[in-house]
Every structure is written in C-alpha cells, then in structure tokens.
C-alpha cells in the first residue's frame, strides 16, 4: 500500500509527500456502550487507511481517493463536498478550525485496506489518519484525545452519525498486542496485553458481506431511545446523566413510565457494561472460557434486546455457539451487517472455518469473507 500510495501521490501531485497511517479496529466486548458513557474493549488492527499529504501553498485543497479513483478540488471555505469520502476530510478540517486551528491548503491522496462496511471502522480510520496527518504536518498542537473528538464530531456534524468515541479512540491510541479498556465517560484507559495464541486460541472475523446501509439512521434511533430512558430515570433520580448512572434496579423501578422498546434498549446497555467488567476480570485471570461466555451473552443481547443484528449475523453466531471449539462469538460494531468476531481454540480452528464456509454457502449462496487480524499500532507517521 505504501508504494502504491507514493506512486499515486506522485502521479497527481509530484514529490515530497509525508506518509501517515491510522488503523481500523476490533472490539472484544462492550457494544453500543460508548455513547452511553460506558466501557469498551477495542484494539487497533493491522489494516489501515494511509494518507500522503503535502502543503500546496494555494487556496484550495486537491484530494485524490485511490479506492474510488476520483480527484477533486476542494475549497475548505466553501460548501460541504458532494462526495461522501471527501466529507470526512472536509469535516476534520472544519472541526480543527472550530477549535482555533488554521489549516493551510494541502494536496492529499489516500487509500487503505480496511474492508468498507464490515464494521471495522474504516471511516474512523480515515478521520484519524487525516487528523493525525494534518496535525503533524502543520504542527497544530492537538493531542490524540482531541484528534479522536475531532473525528467523532466529523461523524456527527458532516456525516450524520451520532457515534460514540470508541472507533476514533482505538484508531489513535491502539498499541501492538494490547487491548484498550476504555471508560468512555472519563476517557481514562488501560492497555491490557492480549495474547490469545498464548492461551491456545485465535481471533477471526467473518464478514457477512451485508453492508450496513440502514445503520446510520437506526444507529441514531438507538441513541435517542437510550436518551429517552435516561430522561425518565433522571426525572426521579437526581444526578443521572447517562445510562452509566442507571442501575437495573432503577430501570425496573420506572419501567412502567417508558415504552417497552426503550426499556429493553436500556437494559441491554446496563447489562452489556456489566458483561464487559466481568469479561475483563476473566481475561486478567486468563480465564478465556468465562470471557467467551460473556461474548456470547453480548450477541444475544444485541440481537434480541438491542435489535441491531441481522439474519446473516445470527446464523454465524448460532453455528459458533453450538461448536464446543469456539469459546465466544458475537456480532461486532454498529450492526445491521458487517462481521462477527470469534474466539476459537487453535485445535478446532481449521474445522470451524470449514464448517462456517460450508453452512453459510448452503444457506446464503456465498461464503463469508474470512478476516484474520493482528492487534497493532495506532495512528503513526510512516515517512
Ligand atoms: C459504531 C460507532 C461506535 C460504537 C459502535 C457500537 O462503530 O461508530 O461509536 O457506538 O458502533 O458499539
């Protein structure tokens, strides 16, 4: 990718580019908890968005997307661009300006190997790569947490997804072989060693190939439902600001005042936070069996209570849950498509892959894409 990026940059804009990368992410457990001020456990992966950039001294930016093979001129003082991919870059610049930065014009080419629409946060990787690159190139002085916020607000204000902070945070703070245990309320985090191979297991993703097109609107609906539940409890209990402050007891106490759907959404989030804490403790003790059970519980909740799964994801999870060689499996990310994450005993790995391929083919007429990931370094300069 590095060579291709350099070549493409040279072809469009000449010599002298600086190169940066920011990765996609996996999340072990803790889904839809980030915007509810709860906990998440993501890690950066060995698939990234790569950016080549150079100041151009002019008034407009020149952008080139390798994957779309499309070049545009963009005046950052003008309107939001029509191309979705360019909105991410435009949004990052705007969010930087809102925070007082002056961003000179630049030439930029980018591309990557984070599968799109698979729930691996290709968009957060792009926002983080662009933010990290511009910050470094122009010495803008933002720290990584501010860059994560800039990426998140790009989604809110220029893409229309009211996402949490998990994806951008993982892309910027990830480290090789470490999982991030992040408290999304305080942004305090701990990097925990994660070495499944040493415990005799492997992590693998199966991409359903279902693109989560419904995701952005339904995602915002879920968020609003959680806020509704919080407002009911907050009208009785002082100091309640998010689902992080709500216990199951409180929720049950005011259950009659909320819609049944709102109740189930909130219950899922409260339980998911607890599952994460239990899973984390299990991991610290090297107890991958308990850890896997929590992961399975997360899928059940996401599917039945939070209703962000789809038939393809449920099918993959069902096969996994019935296979004694699989310690845990669940859908990952925002949902409505994308992939499952699986923790599999090494000795059962090959047979499991075969089982998944055969059964998925029989049911849906195609094989899921198998994605092996290595937990890797977050945003960095390459050259
Ligand atoms: C998407 C969002 C994240 C998070 C997950 C669900 O990836 O971008 O902020 O909410 O969905 O856990």
């Amino acid at each position: 990718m590095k060579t291709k990026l350099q070549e493409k940059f040279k072809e469009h804009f000449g010599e002298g580019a600086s190169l940066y990368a920011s990765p996609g992410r996996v999340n072990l457990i803790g889904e839809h908890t980030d915007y509810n001020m709860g906990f998440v456990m993501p890690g950066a992966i060995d698939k990234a968005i790569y950016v080549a950039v150079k100041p151009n001294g002019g008034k407009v930016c020149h952008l080139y997307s390798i994957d779309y093979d499309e070049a545009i001129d963009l005046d950052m003082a003008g309107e939001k661009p029509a191309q979705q991919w360019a909105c991410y870059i435009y949004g990052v610049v705007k969010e930087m300006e809102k925070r007082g930065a002056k961003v000179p014009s630049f030439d930029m080419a980018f591309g990557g190997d984070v599968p799109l629409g698979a729930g691996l946060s290709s968009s957060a990787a792009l926002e983080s790569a662009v933010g990290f690159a511009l910050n470094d190139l122009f010495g803008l002085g933002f720290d990584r947490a501010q860059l994560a916020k800039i990426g998140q607000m790009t989604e809110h204000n220029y893409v229309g997804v009211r996402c949490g902070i998990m994806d951008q945070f993982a892309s910027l703070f990830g480290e090789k072989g470490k999982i991030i245990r992040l408290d999304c309320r305080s942004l305090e985090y701990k990097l925990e060693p994660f070495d499944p191979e040493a415990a005799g297991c492997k992590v693998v993703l199966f991409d359903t190939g279902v693109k989560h097109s419904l995701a952005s609107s339904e995602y915002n609906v879920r968020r609003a439902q959680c806020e509704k539940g919080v407002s009911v409890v907050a009208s009785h209990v002082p100091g309640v600001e998010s689902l992080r402050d709500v216990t199951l007891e409180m929720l049950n106490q005011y259950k009659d005042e909320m819609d049944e759907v709102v109740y189930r959404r909130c219950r899922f989030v409260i339980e998911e936070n607890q599952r994460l804490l239990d899973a984390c403790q299990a991991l610290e003790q090297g107890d991958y069996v308990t850890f896997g059970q929590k992961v399975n519980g997360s899928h059940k909740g996401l599917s039945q209570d939070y209703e962000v799964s789809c038939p393809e994801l449920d099918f993959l999870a069902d096969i996994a849950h019935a296979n004694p060689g699989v310690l845990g499996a669940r859908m990952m990310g925002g949902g409505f498509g994308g992939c499952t994450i699986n923790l599999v005993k090494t000795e059962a790995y090959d047979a499991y892959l075969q089982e998944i391929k055969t059964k998925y083919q029989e049911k849906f007429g195609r094989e899921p894409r198998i994605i092996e990931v290595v937990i890797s370094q977050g945003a960095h300069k390459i050259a």
Side-chain angles (χ1 to χ4, degrees):
M1 188 67 216
K2 186 180 151 191
T3 323
K4 186 169 176 197
L5 182 62
Q6 275 167 324
E7 276 168 17
K8 287 287 175 190
F9 187 91
K10 208 164 142 189
E11 195 181 307
H12 285 263
F13 310 117
E15 305 277 352
S18 300
L19 261 54
Y20 300 87
S22 203
R25 62 103 188 89
V26 289
N27 184 28
L28 296 187
I29 191 165
E31 220 64 87
H32 290 275
T33 44
D34 60 352
Y35 54 83
N36 288 303
M37 299 300 119
F39 304 101
V40 290
M41 266 176 102
I45 57 173
D46 56 332
K47 296 167 193 0
I49 298 291
Y50 299 85
V51 160
V53 60
K54 183 176 84 170
N56 69 17
K59 288 218 167 349
V60 293
C61 291
H62 307 292
L63 312 176
Y64 175 67
S65 158
I66 296 180
D67 299 327
Y68 292 99
D69 189 20
E70 192 174 12
I72 63 163
D73 295 343
L74 185 59
D75 179 356
M76 294 294 177
E79 294 292 300
K80 190 170 109 163
Q83 294 82 353
Q84 172 91 349
W85 62 263
C87 286
Y88 292 106
I89 303 172
Y90 178 82
V92 168
V93 171
K94 289 288 161 197
E95 288 298 327
M96 287 177 149
E97 287 173 352
K98 263 186 213 166
R99 290 161 178 76
K102 293 222 175 331
V103 186
S105 289
F106 52 88
D107 294 342
M108 177 181 280
F110 76 95
D113 56 5
V114 189
L116 301 178
L120 297 177
S121 298
S122 51
S123 54
L126 175 56
E127 291 144 13
S128 305
V130 170
F132 188 85
L134 296 177
N135 188 51
D136 185 73
L137 186 70
F138 296 121
L140 302 177
F142 293 113
D143 62 26
R144 285 180 191 248
Q146 288 171 309
L147 291 174
K149 198 78 198 157
I150 285 168
Q152 183 195 17
M153 286 304 126
T154 296
E155 292 278 350
H156 283 221
N157 299 328
Y158 300 91
V159 187
V161 182
R162 295 179 64 217
C163 67
I165 193 85
M166 167 169 74
D167 304 346
Q168 292 80 7
F169 200 94
S171 189
L172 283 150
F173 284 85
E175 277 185 26
K176 196 168 189 294
K178 305 267 174 67
I179 281 294
I180 308 167
R181 183 187 176 283
L182 172 66
D183 179 338
C184 298
R185 180 163 64 181
S186 64
L187 291 193
E188 271 167 25
Y189 69 100
K190 216 169 135 195
L191 291 161
E192 309 262 8
F194 181 66
D195 187 4
E197 306 265 338
C201 40
K202 273 167 111 79
V203 173
V204 63
L205 312 178
F206 301 129
D207 182 6
T208 56
V210 179
K211 301 277 176 240
H212 44 178
S213 52
L214 252 182
S216 45
S217 53
E218 280 299 318
Y219 185 94
N220 291 346
V221 169
R222 294 298 175 282
R223 187 164 177 160
Q225 287 164 335
C226 292
E227 284 164 359
K228 187 87 203 37
V230 170
S231 73
V232 170
V233 179
S235 69
H236 296 281
V237 187
V240 166
E241 287 176 359
S242 68
L243 282 178
R244 176 72 176 276
D245 307 317
V246 179
T247 61
L248 268 186
E249 291 68 32
M250 286 182 206
L251 191 71
N252 287 332
Q253 193 173 348
Y254 305 112
K255 188 179 172 183
D256 295 344
E257 292 175 41
M258 56 185 91
D259 192 276
E260 187 267 337
V261 174
V262 166
Y263 171 76
R264 272 193 290 123
R265 304 294 191 247
C266 295
R267 183 178 64 190
F268 163 78
V269 172
I270 296 168
E271 288 176 349
E272 181 75 351
N273 270 322
Q274 189 55 49
R275 268 192 291 269
L276 181 143
L277 294 174
D278 296 344
C280 213
Q281 197 181 19
L283 208 57
E284 274 164 21
Q285 292 160 356
D287 177 1
Y288 279 77
V289 172
T290 305
F291 179 80
Q293 285 163 356
K294 299 296 165 191
V295 169
N296 291 346
S298 171
H299 183 85
K300 196 167 156 230
L302 285 161
S303 179
Q304 295 173 6
D305 277 350
Y306 218 64
E307 294 179 282
V308 290
S309 188
C310 66
E312 291 83 354
L313 289 167
D314 285 343
F315 184 76
L316 288 173
D318 284 347
I319 298 173
H321 297 168
N323 185 327
V326 182
L327 293 163
R330 64 176 194 86
M331 56 150 284
M332 192 181 73
F336 304 102
C339 57
T340 59
I341 180 166
N342 303 259
L343 188 64
V344 192
K345 288 184 193 158
T346 312
E347 73 261 20
Y349 189 73
D350 292 340
Y352 176 52
L353 252 51
Q354 202 45 58
E355 182 191 5
I356 287 284
K357 283 192 213 166
T358 313
K359 291 188 172 162
Y360 200 84
Q361 171 78 42
E362 269 168 29
K363 175 90 177 170
F364 298 109
R366 61 178 192 277
E367 285 185 3
R369 177 161 39 157
I370 292 166
I371 307 176
E372 291 185 337
V373 289
V374 179
I375 305 299
S376 303
Q377 187 190 359
H380 59 282
K381 185 171 184 177
I382 303 174

